[in-house]
Structure formats: structure tokens, C-alpha cells
Amino acid sequence: MSWPYALVDARWDQMTDAAGNRVPLERIAAEADARGVKLFLWHNSGGANNTGTGTPRDLMVDAVTRL
């Protein structure tokens, strides 16, 4: 579609290929880079005040972790 950006949405940390193998984020990023596409990466950063179940979750919940 010739879009300059793409969203890697919820549960990207659990993505698998057709054979059921986990797809690492580095592989996704390499594919995007090869096609000249920049990525936006979704992250559930709400912590305890969020009842959403999407992952990855709570990796950036406090200021120290975000540094």
C-alpha cells in the first residue's frame, strides 16, 4: 500500500508464524526495514489501573523502568 508506517498491535509478543514458531520483534523490525516501513509498537502501559488483558503489559509501569 506504500504506507510509510505500520502498527504492530496488541499481543505482538505472542505472534507466531504459520508453523507455530514465535516471531521475535527483531524479525518484524527487519522485515519492515527491508521494505522501508517505520513501525509504531502497541504497548499496554496502564499497569494496575488498567483491566485490559492485551500484552505486552506492565513493562513500563513506573518511571524507573521507562528510563
Side-chain angles (χ1 to χ4, degrees):
M1 296 182 151
S2 299
W3 293 347
Y5 301 98
L7 172 65
V8 181
D9 210 345
R11 294 184 175 84
W12 55 261
D13 59 329
Q14 300 174 27
M15 284 195 301
T16 57
D17 62 17
N21 301 309
R22 186 179 167 280
V23 179
L25 185 57
E26 293 81 6
R27 180 172 153 197
I28 297 165
E31 280 286 327
D33 189 53
R35 297 168 190 241
V37 175
K38 306 279 189 219
L39 298 177
F40 289 106
L41 193 62
W42 183 93
H43 187 277
N44 180 351
S45 60
N49 63 344
N50 182 331
T51 60
T53 59
T55 64
R57 179 186 168 100
D58 298 335
L59 300 177
M60 299 190 307
V61 72
D62 59 54
V64 173
T65 306
R66 289 189 296 269
L67 293 176

Short mmCIF file of all heavy atoms in Angstrom, two decimals:
data_model
loop_
_atom_site.label_atom_id
_atom_site.label_comp_id
_atom_site.label_asym_id
_atom_site.label_seq_id
_atom_site.Cartn_x
_atom_site.Cartn_y
_atom_site.Cartn_z
N MET A 1 0.81 -1.20 0.00
CA MET A 1 0.00 0.00 0.00
C MET A 1 0.86 1.27 0.00
O MET A 1 0.33 2.34 0.00
CB MET A 1 -0.94 0.01 1.19
CG MET A 1 -1.95 -1.10 1.17
SD MET A 1 -3.04 -0.96 2.60
CE MET A 1 -4.47 -1.68 1.91
N SER A 2 2.14 1.09 0.10
CA SER A 2 3.09 2.22 0.08
C SER A 2 2.93 3.15 1.28
O SER A 2 3.25 4.33 1.20
CB SER A 2 2.96 3.01 -1.22
OG SER A 2 3.26 2.18 -2.31
N TRP A 3 2.44 2.65 2.39
CA TRP A 3 2.33 3.46 3.60
C TRP A 3 3.70 3.55 4.26
O TRP A 3 4.43 2.56 4.32
CB TRP A 3 1.33 2.86 4.57
CG TRP A 3 -0.09 2.90 4.09
CD1 TRP A 3 -0.58 3.60 3.03
CD2 TRP A 3 -1.18 2.18 4.63
NE1 TRP A 3 -1.91 3.37 2.89
CE2 TRP A 3 -2.31 2.50 3.87
CE3 TRP A 3 -1.32 1.31 5.69
CZ2 TRP A 3 -3.56 1.97 4.13
CZ3 TRP A 3 -2.57 0.78 5.95
CH2 TRP A 3 -3.68 1.13 5.18
N PRO A 4 4.06 4.72 4.82
CA PRO A 4 5.38 4.85 5.44
C PRO A 4 5.46 4.24 6.84
O PRO A 4 6.55 4.04 7.36
CB PRO A 4 5.61 6.35 5.48
CG PRO A 4 4.23 6.94 5.54
CD PRO A 4 3.36 5.99 4.73
N TYR A 5 4.31 3.96 7.44
CA TYR A 5 4.27 3.44 8.81
C TYR A 5 3.30 2.26 8.90
O TYR A 5 2.36 2.17 8.13
CB TYR A 5 3.78 4.52 9.80
CG TYR A 5 4.65 5.73 9.82
CD1 TYR A 5 4.31 6.86 9.11
CD2 TYR A 5 5.83 5.75 10.57
CE1 TYR A 5 5.12 7.98 9.12
CE2 TYR A 5 6.64 6.86 10.60
CZ TYR A 5 6.28 7.98 9.87
OH TYR A 5 7.09 9.07 9.88
N ALA A 6 3.54 1.41 9.89
CA ALA A 6 2.61 0.30 10.18
C ALA A 6 2.52 0.14 11.69
O ALA A 6 3.48 0.39 12.41
CB ALA A 6 3.07 -0.99 9.54
N LEU A 7 1.37 -0.28 12.17
CA LEU A 7 1.16 -0.54 13.59
C LEU A 7 1.35 -2.02 13.88
O LEU A 7 0.75 -2.88 13.22
CB LEU A 7 -0.25 -0.13 14.01
CG LEU A 7 -0.67 -0.51 15.43
CD1 LEU A 7 0.17 0.23 16.45
CD2 LEU A 7 -2.15 -0.26 15.64
N VAL A 8 2.21 -2.32 14.84
CA VAL A 8 2.34 -3.68 15.36
C VAL A 8 1.46 -3.69 16.60
O VAL A 8 1.79 -3.09 17.61
CB VAL A 8 3.81 -4.03 15.68
CG1 VAL A 8 3.91 -5.45 16.18
CG2 VAL A 8 4.68 -3.83 14.45
N ASP A 9 0.32 -4.32 16.51
CA ASP A 9 -0.74 -4.18 17.50
C ASP A 9 -0.58 -5.15 18.68
O ASP A 9 0.39 -5.88 18.78
CB ASP A 9 -2.10 -4.38 16.82
CG ASP A 9 -3.21 -3.59 17.48
OD1 ASP A 9 -3.04 -3.11 18.61
OD2 ASP A 9 -4.27 -3.45 16.85
N ALA A 10 -1.57 -5.14 19.55
CA ALA A 10 -1.58 -5.93 20.78
C ALA A 10 -1.17 -7.38 20.55
O ALA A 10 -1.42 -7.96 19.49
CB ALA A 10 -2.96 -5.89 21.42
N ARG A 11 -0.54 -7.93 21.55
CA ARG A 11 -0.08 -9.32 21.59
C ARG A 11 1.04 -9.63 20.60
O ARG A 11 1.27 -10.77 20.23
CB ARG A 11 -1.25 -10.28 21.41
CG ARG A 11 -2.23 -10.20 22.58
CD ARG A 11 -3.34 -11.25 22.45
NE ARG A 11 -4.19 -11.23 23.62
CZ ARG A 11 -5.21 -10.40 23.81
NH1 ARG A 11 -5.50 -9.50 22.91
NH2 ARG A 11 -5.94 -10.47 24.91
N TRP A 12 1.77 -8.57 20.19
CA TRP A 12 2.90 -8.82 19.29
C TRP A 12 3.96 -9.69 19.94
O TRP A 12 4.72 -10.36 19.25
CB TRP A 12 3.51 -7.51 18.78
CG TRP A 12 3.93 -6.54 19.85
CD1 TRP A 12 3.21 -5.46 20.29
CD2 TRP A 12 5.14 -6.55 20.61
NE1 TRP A 12 3.91 -4.80 21.27
CE2 TRP A 12 5.10 -5.45 21.49
CE3 TRP A 12 6.26 -7.37 20.64
CZ2 TRP A 12 6.13 -5.16 22.38
CZ3 TRP A 12 7.30 -7.08 21.52
CH2 TRP A 12 7.22 -5.98 22.38
N ASP A 13 4.00 -9.70 21.26
CA ASP A 13 4.96 -10.55 21.96
C ASP A 13 4.58 -12.03 21.92
O ASP A 13 5.35 -12.89 22.35
CB ASP A 13 5.12 -10.09 23.41
CG ASP A 13 3.82 -10.12 24.19
OD1 ASP A 13 2.74 -9.92 23.60
OD2 ASP A 13 3.87 -10.35 25.41
N GLN A 14 3.39 -12.33 21.38
CA GLN A 14 2.92 -13.71 21.30
C GLN A 14 2.71 -14.17 19.86
O GLN A 14 2.19 -15.25 19.63
CB GLN A 14 1.58 -13.83 22.05
CG GLN A 14 1.68 -13.47 23.51
CD GLN A 14 0.31 -13.46 24.17
OE1 GLN A 14 -0.61 -14.15 23.76
NE2 GLN A 14 0.17 -12.67 25.22
N MET A 15 3.10 -13.36 18.88
CA MET A 15 2.87 -13.70 17.48
C MET A 15 3.64 -14.95 17.07
O MET A 15 4.76 -15.17 17.51
CB MET A 15 3.26 -12.55 16.56
CG MET A 15 2.27 -11.44 16.57
SD MET A 15 2.48 -10.28 15.22
CE MET A 15 4.12 -9.68 15.47
N THR A 16 3.00 -15.74 16.22
CA THR A 16 3.63 -16.94 15.67
C THR A 16 3.49 -16.94 14.15
O THR A 16 2.59 -16.30 13.60
CB THR A 16 3.00 -18.22 16.24
OG1 THR A 16 1.60 -18.22 15.96
CG2 THR A 16 3.21 -18.33 17.74
N ASP A 17 4.35 -17.69 13.49
CA ASP A 17 4.26 -17.83 12.05
C ASP A 17 3.33 -19.01 11.72
O ASP A 17 2.75 -19.62 12.62
CB ASP A 17 5.64 -17.98 11.41
CG ASP A 17 6.40 -19.20 11.89
OD1 ASP A 17 5.78 -20.13 12.45
OD2 ASP A 17 7.63 -19.23 11.69
N ALA A 18 3.22 -19.34 10.45
CA ALA A 18 2.31 -20.41 10.02
C ALA A 18 2.66 -21.76 10.63
O ALA A 18 1.79 -22.61 10.82
CB ALA A 18 2.30 -20.50 8.50
N ALA A 19 3.93 -21.95 10.98
CA ALA A 19 4.36 -23.22 11.57
C ALA A 19 4.21 -23.24 13.09
O ALA A 19 4.51 -24.24 13.73
CB ALA A 19 5.82 -23.49 11.21
N GLY A 20 3.74 -22.12 13.66
CA GLY A 20 3.55 -22.06 15.10
C GLY A 20 4.77 -21.61 15.88
O GLY A 20 4.78 -21.65 17.10
N ASN A 21 5.81 -21.17 15.17
CA ASN A 21 7.03 -20.68 15.83
C ASN A 21 6.86 -19.22 16.23
O ASN A 21 6.30 -18.43 15.46
CB ASN A 21 8.23 -20.80 14.89
CG ASN A 21 8.47 -22.22 14.45
OD1 ASN A 21 8.53 -23.12 15.27
ND2 ASN A 21 8.56 -22.42 13.15
N ARG A 22 7.35 -18.87 17.41
CA ARG A 22 7.28 -17.49 17.87
C ARG A 22 8.06 -16.59 16.92
O ARG A 22 9.14 -16.94 16.47
CB ARG A 22 7.85 -17.36 19.27
CG ARG A 22 7.67 -15.99 19.85
CD ARG A 22 8.23 -15.90 21.27
NE ARG A 22 8.31 -14.52 21.67
CZ ARG A 22 9.26 -13.66 21.31
NH1 ARG A 22 10.25 -14.06 20.55
NH2 ARG A 22 9.25 -12.42 21.72
N VAL A 23 7.48 -15.43 16.60
CA VAL A 23 8.14 -14.47 15.72
C VAL A 23 8.72 -13.36 16.59
O VAL A 23 7.97 -12.58 17.18
CB VAL A 23 7.15 -13.87 14.70
CG1 VAL A 23 7.84 -12.85 13.82
CG2 VAL A 23 6.51 -14.97 13.87
N PRO A 24 10.05 -13.27 16.67
CA PRO A 24 10.66 -12.23 17.51
C PRO A 24 10.47 -10.84 16.89
O PRO A 24 10.41 -10.69 15.67
CB PRO A 24 12.13 -12.61 17.57
CG PRO A 24 12.36 -13.51 16.41
CD PRO A 24 11.04 -14.14 16.06
N LEU A 25 10.39 -9.85 17.73
CA LEU A 25 10.21 -8.47 17.28
C LEU A 25 11.34 -8.06 16.34
O LEU A 25 11.11 -7.31 15.39
CB LEU A 25 10.15 -7.53 18.49
CG LEU A 25 9.86 -6.08 18.18
CD1 LEU A 25 8.54 -5.92 17.43
CD2 LEU A 25 9.81 -5.28 19.47
N GLU A 26 12.53 -8.57 16.55
CA GLU A 26 13.65 -8.23 15.67
C GLU A 26 13.38 -8.66 14.22
O GLU A 26 13.76 -7.96 13.29
CB GLU A 26 14.94 -8.90 16.17
CG GLU A 26 15.43 -8.36 17.50
CD GLU A 26 14.72 -8.95 18.72
OE1 GLU A 26 13.91 -9.88 18.57
OE2 GLU A 26 15.00 -8.46 19.83
N ARG A 27 12.70 -9.77 14.05
CA ARG A 27 12.36 -10.24 12.70
C ARG A 27 11.32 -9.33 12.06
O ARG A 27 11.41 -9.01 10.87
CB ARG A 27 11.84 -11.67 12.77
CG ARG A 27 11.46 -12.24 11.42
CD ARG A 27 11.13 -13.71 11.54
NE ARG A 27 10.21 -14.12 10.50
CZ ARG A 27 9.52 -15.22 10.54
NH1 ARG A 27 9.62 -16.05 11.55
NH2 ARG A 27 8.69 -15.52 9.56
N ILE A 28 10.35 -8.91 12.84
CA ILE A 28 9.33 -7.99 12.34
C ILE A 28 9.97 -6.67 11.93
O ILE A 28 9.69 -6.13 10.87
CB ILE A 28 8.25 -7.76 13.41
CG1 ILE A 28 7.54 -9.08 13.72
CG2 ILE A 28 7.25 -6.70 12.96
CD1 ILE A 28 6.72 -9.05 14.99
N ALA A 29 10.86 -6.16 12.79
CA ALA A 29 11.53 -4.90 12.51
C ALA A 29 12.41 -5.01 11.26
O ALA A 29 12.47 -4.08 10.45
CB ALA A 29 12.36 -4.48 13.71
N ALA A 30 13.10 -6.13 11.09
CA ALA A 30 13.96 -6.33 9.92
C ALA A 30 13.13 -6.36 8.64
O ALA A 30 13.52 -5.78 7.62
CB ALA A 30 14.77 -7.61 10.07
N GLU A 31 11.98 -7.02 8.67
CA GLU A 31 11.09 -7.06 7.51
C GLU A 31 10.61 -5.66 7.15
O GLU A 31 10.59 -5.27 5.99
CB GLU A 31 9.88 -7.96 7.78
CG GLU A 31 10.14 -9.41 7.61
CD GLU A 31 10.27 -9.83 6.16
OE1 GLU A 31 9.60 -9.24 5.27
OE2 GLU A 31 11.06 -10.75 5.91
N ALA A 32 10.21 -4.91 8.17
CA ALA A 32 9.74 -3.54 7.94
C ALA A 32 10.85 -2.69 7.36
O ALA A 32 10.64 -1.94 6.40
CB ALA A 32 9.22 -2.95 9.24
N ASP A 33 12.04 -2.80 7.93
CA ASP A 33 13.17 -2.01 7.47
C ASP A 33 13.51 -2.34 6.01
O ASP A 33 13.78 -1.44 5.21
CB ASP A 33 14.38 -2.26 8.37
CG ASP A 33 15.52 -1.33 8.08
OD1 ASP A 33 15.29 -0.10 8.06
OD2 ASP A 33 16.64 -1.82 7.86
N ALA A 34 13.46 -3.61 5.66
CA ALA A 34 13.75 -4.02 4.29
C ALA A 34 12.75 -3.43 3.30
O ALA A 34 13.07 -3.23 2.13
CB ALA A 34 13.73 -5.55 4.19
N ARG A 35 11.56 -3.12 3.78
CA ARG A 35 10.52 -2.55 2.92
C ARG A 35 10.40 -1.04 3.07
O ARG A 35 9.52 -0.42 2.49
CB ARG A 35 9.17 -3.21 3.24
CG ARG A 35 9.19 -4.69 2.95
CD ARG A 35 7.99 -5.39 3.53
NE ARG A 35 8.14 -6.83 3.44
CZ ARG A 35 7.33 -7.63 2.77
NH1 ARG A 35 6.30 -7.13 2.13
NH2 ARG A 35 7.55 -8.92 2.75
N GLY A 36 11.28 -0.46 3.89
CA GLY A 36 11.26 0.99 4.09
C GLY A 36 10.09 1.48 4.91
O GLY A 36 9.64 2.61 4.76
N VAL A 37 9.58 0.63 5.80
CA VAL A 37 8.42 0.96 6.62
C VAL A 37 8.86 1.17 8.07
O VAL A 37 9.60 0.37 8.63
CB VAL A 37 7.36 -0.18 6.56
CG1 VAL A 37 6.20 0.10 7.49
CG2 VAL A 37 6.89 -0.36 5.13
N LYS A 38 8.42 2.25 8.68
CA LYS A 38 8.66 2.52 10.10
C LYS A 38 7.52 1.90 10.90
O LYS A 38 6.41 1.77 10.42
CB LYS A 38 8.70 4.03 10.37
CG LYS A 38 9.68 4.78 9.51
CD LYS A 38 11.06 4.65 10.06
CE LYS A 38 11.97 5.59 9.29
NZ LYS A 38 13.24 5.07 9.03
N LEU A 39 7.82 1.51 12.15
CA LEU A 39 6.82 0.84 12.97
C LEU A 39 6.37 1.67 14.16
O LEU A 39 7.19 2.35 14.79
CB LEU A 39 7.38 -0.49 13.48
CG LEU A 39 7.76 -1.52 12.44
CD1 LEU A 39 8.37 -2.74 13.10
CD2 LEU A 39 6.56 -1.91 11.59
N PHE A 40 5.10 1.57 14.47
CA PHE A 40 4.53 2.01 15.74
C PHE A 40 4.27 0.72 16.51
O PHE A 40 3.66 -0.20 15.99
CB PHE A 40 3.21 2.77 15.56
CG PHE A 40 3.36 4.12 14.96
CD1 PHE A 40 2.99 4.35 13.65
CD2 PHE A 40 3.86 5.17 15.71
CE1 PHE A 40 3.10 5.61 13.09
CE2 PHE A 40 3.99 6.43 15.17
CZ PHE A 40 3.61 6.65 13.85
N LEU A 41 4.72 0.67 17.75
CA LEU A 41 4.59 -0.54 18.54
C LEU A 41 3.59 -0.33 19.66
O LEU A 41 3.76 0.55 20.49
CB LEU A 41 5.96 -0.91 19.11
CG LEU A 41 6.15 -2.28 19.70
CD1 LEU A 41 5.94 -3.35 18.64
CD2 LEU A 41 7.56 -2.40 20.27
N TRP A 42 2.52 -1.13 19.69
CA TRP A 42 1.49 -1.02 20.72
C TRP A 42 2.01 -1.63 22.01
O TRP A 42 2.71 -2.63 22.02
CB TRP A 42 0.24 -1.78 20.27
CG TRP A 42 -0.89 -1.67 21.25
CD1 TRP A 42 -1.88 -0.73 21.23
CD2 TRP A 42 -1.13 -2.51 22.37
NE1 TRP A 42 -2.73 -0.97 22.28
CE2 TRP A 42 -2.30 -2.04 23.01
CE3 TRP A 42 -0.48 -3.60 22.91
CZ2 TRP A 42 -2.83 -2.62 24.14
CZ3 TRP A 42 -1.00 -4.18 24.04
CH2 TRP A 42 -2.16 -3.70 24.64
N HIS A 43 1.63 -0.98 23.12
CA HIS A 43 2.04 -1.49 24.43
C HIS A 43 0.98 -1.15 25.45
O HIS A 43 0.52 -0.01 25.52
CB HIS A 43 3.38 -0.86 24.84
CG HIS A 43 3.93 -1.44 26.09
ND1 HIS A 43 3.54 -1.04 27.33
CD2 HIS A 43 4.84 -2.42 26.28
CE1 HIS A 43 4.19 -1.73 28.24
NE2 HIS A 43 4.99 -2.58 27.62
N ASN A 44 0.56 -2.11 26.25
CA ASN A 44 -0.41 -1.88 27.32
C ASN A 44 0.35 -1.36 28.53
O ASN A 44 0.92 -2.12 29.29
CB ASN A 44 -1.14 -3.19 27.66
CG ASN A 44 -2.17 -3.02 28.76
OD1 ASN A 44 -2.25 -1.98 29.40
ND2 ASN A 44 -2.95 -4.05 28.98
N SER A 45 0.38 -0.05 28.69
CA SER A 45 1.19 0.55 29.76
C SER A 45 0.36 1.02 30.94
O SER A 45 0.85 1.77 31.77
CB SER A 45 1.98 1.74 29.19
OG SER A 45 1.09 2.71 28.67
N GLY A 46 -0.88 0.58 31.04
CA GLY A 46 -1.78 1.07 32.08
C GLY A 46 -1.50 0.57 33.48
O GLY A 46 -1.93 1.17 34.44
N GLY A 47 -0.78 -0.52 33.63
CA GLY A 47 -0.48 -1.04 34.96
C GLY A 47 -1.72 -1.46 35.72
O GLY A 47 -2.70 -1.91 35.14
N ALA A 48 -1.69 -1.29 37.02
CA ALA A 48 -2.76 -1.77 37.89
C ALA A 48 -4.09 -1.06 37.65
O ALA A 48 -5.15 -1.59 37.97
CB ALA A 48 -2.34 -1.61 39.34
N ASN A 49 -4.07 0.15 37.09
CA ASN A 49 -5.32 0.88 36.87
C ASN A 49 -5.96 0.51 35.53
O ASN A 49 -6.88 1.15 35.07
CB ASN A 49 -5.08 2.39 36.92
CG ASN A 49 -4.14 2.86 35.82
OD1 ASN A 49 -3.46 2.06 35.21
ND2 ASN A 49 -4.10 4.14 35.58
N ASN A 50 -5.51 -0.56 34.92
CA ASN A 50 -5.99 -0.97 33.62
C ASN A 50 -6.43 -2.43 33.71
O ASN A 50 -5.67 -3.29 34.13
CB ASN A 50 -4.84 -0.83 32.62
CG ASN A 50 -5.21 -1.19 31.21
OD1 ASN A 50 -6.08 -2.01 30.97
ND2 ASN A 50 -4.53 -0.59 30.27
N THR A 51 -7.65 -2.71 33.29
CA THR A 51 -8.14 -4.09 33.34
C THR A 51 -7.98 -4.81 32.01
O THR A 51 -8.40 -5.95 31.88
CB THR A 51 -9.62 -4.13 33.77
OG1 THR A 51 -10.38 -3.37 32.81
CG2 THR A 51 -9.80 -3.56 35.16
N GLY A 52 -7.38 -4.14 31.04
CA GLY A 52 -7.16 -4.77 29.74
C GLY A 52 -6.24 -5.97 29.86
O GLY A 52 -5.37 -6.02 30.72
N THR A 53 -6.42 -6.94 28.98
CA THR A 53 -5.63 -8.16 29.04
C THR A 53 -4.56 -8.23 27.95
O THR A 53 -3.82 -9.20 27.88
CB THR A 53 -6.53 -9.39 28.94
OG1 THR A 53 -7.25 -9.33 27.69
CG2 THR A 53 -7.50 -9.47 30.10
N GLY A 54 -4.51 -7.22 27.09
CA GLY A 54 -3.54 -7.24 26.00
C GLY A 54 -2.11 -7.23 26.50
O GLY A 54 -1.80 -6.63 27.52
N THR A 55 -1.25 -7.91 25.78
CA THR A 55 0.16 -7.94 26.12
C THR A 55 0.95 -7.33 24.97
O THR A 55 0.44 -7.24 23.87
CB THR A 55 0.63 -9.39 26.36
OG1 THR A 55 0.52 -10.12 25.15
CG2 THR A 55 -0.12 -10.05 27.48
N PRO A 56 2.17 -6.92 25.22
CA PRO A 56 2.90 -6.94 26.47
C PRO A 56 2.31 -5.95 27.46
O PRO A 56 1.68 -4.98 27.06
CB PRO A 56 4.32 -6.57 26.09
CG PRO A 56 4.18 -5.78 24.86
CD PRO A 56 2.98 -6.31 24.15
N ARG A 57 2.52 -6.19 28.72
CA ARG A 57 1.87 -5.40 29.76
C ARG A 57 2.82 -5.17 30.93
O ARG A 57 3.64 -6.02 31.26
CB ARG A 57 0.64 -6.16 30.25
CG ARG A 57 -0.10 -5.47 31.33
CD ARG A 57 -1.22 -6.35 31.86
NE ARG A 57 -1.71 -5.74 33.06
CZ ARG A 57 -2.80 -5.00 33.13
NH1 ARG A 57 -3.56 -4.86 32.10
NH2 ARG A 57 -3.14 -4.44 34.25
N ASP A 58 2.67 -4.00 31.53
CA ASP A 58 3.39 -3.63 32.76
C ASP A 58 4.91 -3.57 32.61
O ASP A 58 5.63 -3.64 33.59
CB ASP A 58 3.04 -4.57 33.92
CG ASP A 58 1.56 -4.51 34.27
OD1 ASP A 58 0.92 -3.48 33.99
OD2 ASP A 58 1.04 -5.49 34.82
N LEU A 59 5.42 -3.45 31.38
CA LEU A 59 6.85 -3.34 31.21
C LEU A 59 7.35 -1.91 31.42
O LEU A 59 8.54 -1.69 31.60
CB LEU A 59 7.26 -3.83 29.82
CG LEU A 59 6.91 -5.28 29.49
CD1 LEU A 59 7.31 -5.63 28.07
CD2 LEU A 59 7.60 -6.22 30.49
N MET A 60 6.43 -0.96 31.37
CA MET A 60 6.81 0.45 31.53
C MET A 60 5.92 1.13 32.55
O MET A 60 5.63 2.30 32.46
CB MET A 60 6.71 1.17 30.19
CG MET A 60 7.63 0.61 29.15
SD MET A 60 7.76 1.58 27.63
CE MET A 60 6.09 1.79 27.13
N VAL A 61 5.51 0.41 33.58
CA VAL A 61 4.53 0.91 34.52
C VAL A 61 5.08 1.98 35.48
O VAL A 61 4.34 2.82 35.95
CB VAL A 61 3.88 -0.26 35.30
CG1 VAL A 61 4.84 -0.87 36.29
CG2 VAL A 61 2.59 0.17 35.97
N ASP A 62 6.37 1.99 35.73
CA ASP A 62 6.91 3.01 36.62
C ASP A 62 8.02 3.82 35.93
O ASP A 62 8.61 3.39 34.95
CB ASP A 62 7.43 2.40 37.93
CG ASP A 62 8.52 1.36 37.72
OD1 ASP A 62 9.51 1.68 37.05
OD2 ASP A 62 8.35 0.24 38.22
N ALA A 63 8.30 5.00 36.48
CA ALA A 63 9.23 5.92 35.86
C ALA A 63 10.63 5.35 35.73
O ALA A 63 11.33 5.58 34.74
CB ALA A 63 9.26 7.22 36.65
N VAL A 64 11.07 4.57 36.70
CA VAL A 64 12.42 3.99 36.66
C VAL A 64 12.56 3.04 35.47
O VAL A 64 13.58 3.06 34.76
CB VAL A 64 12.74 3.27 37.98
CG1 VAL A 64 14.06 2.54 37.89
CG2 VAL A 64 12.76 4.26 39.13
N THR A 65 11.56 2.24 35.23
CA THR A 65 11.58 1.29 34.12
C THR A 65 11.61 2.00 32.78
O THR A 65 12.24 1.52 31.83
CB THR A 65 10.36 0.36 34.18
OG1 THR A 65 10.31 -0.24 35.46
CG2 THR A 65 10.40 -0.72 33.13
N ARG A 66 10.95 3.15 32.68
CA ARG A 66 10.86 3.87 31.41
C ARG A 66 12.16 4.58 31.03
O ARG A 66 12.30 5.02 29.90
CB ARG A 66 9.73 4.87 31.46
CG ARG A 66 8.36 4.23 31.45
CD ARG A 66 7.26 5.27 31.28
NE ARG A 66 7.19 6.19 32.39
CZ ARG A 66 6.45 6.03 33.48
NH1 ARG A 66 5.72 4.94 33.61
NH2 ARG A 66 6.43 6.94 34.43
N LEU A 67 13.09 4.70 31.92
CA LEU A 67 14.34 5.41 31.61
C LEU A 67 15.20 4.71 30.64
O LEU A 67 15.38 3.71 30.32
CB LEU A 67 15.13 5.70 32.88
CG LEU A 67 14.46 6.69 33.80
CD1 LEU A 67 15.27 6.84 35.06
CD2 LEU A 67 14.31 8.03 33.12
#
